Amino acid sequence: MSFADIMLEDKQRVLREFTEVKADFASRGWFPGTSGNLSMRVGPFTPEQFHFAVTASGKDKTKSTPEDFLFVDQDGNRSEATALKPSAETSLHREIYRLTGAGAIFHIHSVHNNLVSELFWERRSVRIDGVELIKAFDIWDEDAVIEIPILPNYADVPRIVPEITANLNPRIPGLLIRKHGLCAWGKDAFEAKRHLEAFEFLFEYAYKWELLNRGR
Ligand SMILES: CSC[C@@H](O)[C@@H](O)C(=O)COP(=O)(O)O
Ligand SMILES: [Zn+2]
């Protein structure tokens, strides 16, 4: 389906939800130094064809302006004419949508997500064992253990894409990029936000647990 054929109400709903999530994350200090980017899909999805709204690159995401978002397609091309530049990390969002069919993807840099990505870099994952908040990912097993993948960070962002293709775990709606940040996703903005908040809680827990137990 072409972008013009997607219902105006759907595009407006996406922009409304987008604006709310962005303001909420900004109030928590989750966009330090213009870092972070958000995207939300709109209209029908096939892995070969989809559209999503994404934050414009390099903006101060704590501010709300008419130039915060633009729509792009599965190849990262603008869906409609605009001078805005999509996030420098749009290729990561594209690949996650292609692989998962998610409805929203949120990327933030935090001190805890950066710390655990380095602390557990050798095992290439953060292991979380039996913590209640794992249920936020719809994993209900007794004493569930999950591994959140850690991917290498490259200045040339498209080089990270094959790492996503190779390491994304369909059970785990998020991944870390080493000393960079977290990407978390869900079927819609509500779910993606729940996942992102749970990851951030679990990273703080994993970091503090490791410190408490080191040298014991
Ligand atoms: C300003 S440091 C952060 C950037 O390098 C990048 O990682 C980031 O998250 C934001 O990039 P952006 O192009 O604004 O979406
Ligand atoms: Zn980033």
Side-chain angles (χ1 to χ4, degrees):
M1 183 188 274
S2 80
F3 186 70
D5 291 332
I6 297 172
M7 301 234 297
L8 185 60
E9 296 90 271
D10 283 345
K11 296 172 191 167
Q12 286 170 339
R13 179 189 45 80
V14 161
L15 291 185
R16 231 181 7 254
E17 286 184 35
F18 214 154
T19 306
E20 266 176 39
V21 172
K22 187 166 146 292
D24 184 278
F25 286 13
S27 73
R28 301 183 194 202
W30 276 345
F31 297 131
T34 73
S35 65
N37 36 73
L38 310 175
S39 72
M40 280 181 68
R41 211 165 46 65
V42 66
F45 172 83
T46 68
E48 295 77 33
Q49 203 195 15
F50 55 91
H51 295 268
F52 58 101
V54 63
T55 42
S57 185
K59 301 271 179 182
D60 177 352
K61 283 117 194 167
T62 67
K63 300 273 188 296
S64 199
T65 79
E67 308 209 308
D68 290 341
F69 315 110
L70 65 156
F71 286 95
V72 297
D73 68 11
Q74 69 286 335
D75 299 320
N77 297 318
R78 293 170 182 80
S79 307
E80 55 190 359
T82 171
L84 295 175
K85 204 169 150 248
S87 165
E89 289 163 354
T90 301
S91 55
L92 310 183
H93 293 245
R94 285 166 47 207
E95 183 62 354
I96 295 167
Y97 282 127
R98 190 182 73 80
L99 293 170
T100 67
I105 304 171
F106 302 146
H107 166 65
I108 64 160
H109 300 205
S110 73
V111 174
H112 285 114
N113 70 37
N114 274 245
L115 281 169
V116 292
S117 74
E118 186 57 5
L119 198 54
F120 301 109
W121 170 242
E122 276 182 22
R123 67 181 288 134
R124 299 291 194 275
S125 72
V126 181
R127 183 175 190 275
I128 306 284
D129 185 343
V131 180
E132 176 71 9
L133 213 49
I134 291 174
K135 290 179 184 166
F137 308 128
D138 263 327
I139 297 173
W140 301 90
D141 321 335
E142 191 74 31
D143 296 326
V145 177
I146 61 166
E147 305 264 355
I148 302 145
I150 309 173
L151 314 183
N153 190 29
Y154 298 119
D156 177 23
V157 177
R159 273 186 72 199
I160 305 172
V161 172
E163 300 287 340
I164 296 180
T165 324
N167 293 293
L168 187 142
N169 177 344
R171 277 189 90 207
I172 308 296
L175 53 85
L176 280 165
I177 307 169
R178 186 186 183 190
K179 290 197 276 184
H180 177 159
L182 164 70
C183 292
W185 56 87
K187 65 176 187 296
D188 53 25
F190 177 84
E191 193 180 82
K193 181 167 173 279
R194 187 181 79 221
H195 292 162
L196 184 132
E197 288 171 348
F199 281 124
E200 287 298 312
F201 175 99
L202 294 169
F203 294 149
E204 184 172 351
Y205 168 86
Y207 173 71
K208 291 182 173 163
W209 178 256
E210 181 72 13
L211 288 197
L212 283 171
N213 286 282
R214 273 206 176 175
R216 260 199 190 176

